[in-house]
Amino acid sequence: MKITYTARKVNLKDNFKERVEKKLRKFEKLFTEDAAVNVVVTLEKNRQTVEITIRDSGMVYRAESTMSEMNDALDKVTDMLMRQIRKNKTRLAKKVKSGSIDDFIAQNTEVDENEDELNYEVARKKQILVKPITVEEAILRMNMVNHSFFMFLNAETDEVNVVYKRDNGDYGLLEPVVD
């Protein structure tokens, strides 16, 4: 696993980096050598946030925690990642064996500074490569990145759809219709 550290308003000490590497060693058997791990540590007043994102084989695993101590936040984040992986273990194993997990590529691009009449401002723009997947796999990917929605190309209908998490915990599916 290739680990990249990003420190915001804080200097990371070597013993913290060693602790991160020790904690992530228990995940090595789950991921390939090419897995990319991004560790972001942010200091805000008396609160420290640790965010870990693991990208491997087209899947993205992400967790974030804010605590008063950096090491406590790291412990909580690694526990959250392990629970997330354990929770989705059977579904992930099924998808990996069936070979339906395709590469998922997301790139950040710069936003144009053009303002329109209504003054709507796009704060962030992403481009994603959409490949046909099932609704179930889209929900799985949405849960793995801990987002409330996920856009995908539906393998059954060949149309762009969006799955989303409803307030009551259920899932919704948005399908395009031409009037």
Side-chain angles (χ1 to χ4, degrees):
M1 295 187 346
K2 299 169 188 156
I3 303 174
T4 305
Y5 296 96
T6 304
R8 295 182 182 143
K9 300 180 186 176
V10 67
N11 291 326
L12 296 180
K13 296 181 180 176
D14 289 338
N15 63 351
F16 178 77
K17 291 180 181 180
E18 290 170 7
R19 185 178 168 107
V20 169
E21 291 166 13
K22 180 181 176 188
K23 290 277 190 183
L24 292 176
R25 271 190 220 116
K26 62 183 172 183
F27 294 104
E28 282 182 341
K29 60 187 172 200
L30 302 172
F31 300 107
T32 65
E33 294 175 6
D34 296 334
V37 180
N38 190 20
V39 179
V40 179
V41 181
T42 308
L43 175 65
E44 300 167 349
K45 296 185 181 177
N46 293 331
R47 300 164 46 98
Q48 301 187 31
T49 302
V50 175
E51 173 189 334
I52 297 178
T53 306
I54 303 172
R55 296 178 191 277
D56 187 37
S57 301
M59 293 299 290
V60 179
Y61 308 85
R62 183 186 172 282
E64 177 180 325
S65 177
T66 301
M67 309 276 283
S68 59
E69 293 292 324
M70 191 182 310
N71 289 333
D72 294 339
L74 174 64
D75 293 342
K76 188 170 181 182
V77 166
T78 54
D79 290 344
M80 291 167 70
L81 281 170
M82 189 56 81
R83 274 195 312 274
Q84 192 180 84
I85 291 168
R86 217 178 289 132
K87 176 182 170 185
N88 294 296
K89 180 183 175 188
T90 55
R91 284 186 272 178
L92 285 170
K94 178 181 169 187
K95 296 298 176 194
V96 170
K97 287 179 184 173
S98 70
S100 64
I101 296 180
D102 296 317
D103 289 339
F104 177 76
I105 300 171
Q107 297 181 306
N108 291 333
T109 58
E110 292 296 318
V111 178
D112 288 337
E113 296 293 328
N114 299 336
E115 292 186 31
D116 61 3
E117 305 162 3
L118 301 175
N119 290 330
Y120 290 121
E121 184 177 329
V122 177
R124 184 173 175 184
K125 181 179 176 181
K126 273 189 173 181
Q127 294 180 339
I128 60 170
L129 177 64
V130 289
K131 293 187 177 181
I133 59 173
T134 64
V135 173
E136 182 183 70
E137 187 174 347
I139 291 171
L140 174 64
R141 288 187 180 192
M142 175 183 67
N143 288 335
M144 295 306 291
V145 294
N146 200 22
H147 285 173
S148 57
F149 69 93
F150 188 82
M151 182 180 74
F152 67 104
L153 186 61
N154 191 325
E156 296 170 6
T157 63
D158 244 5
E159 292 181 333
V160 174
N161 290 174
V162 175
V163 291
Y164 62 96
K165 187 173 268 191
R166 298 171 46 91
D167 290 338
N168 65 3
D170 292 340
Y171 298 101
L173 175 67
L174 298 176
E175 298 177 306
V177 178
V178 178
D179 188 15

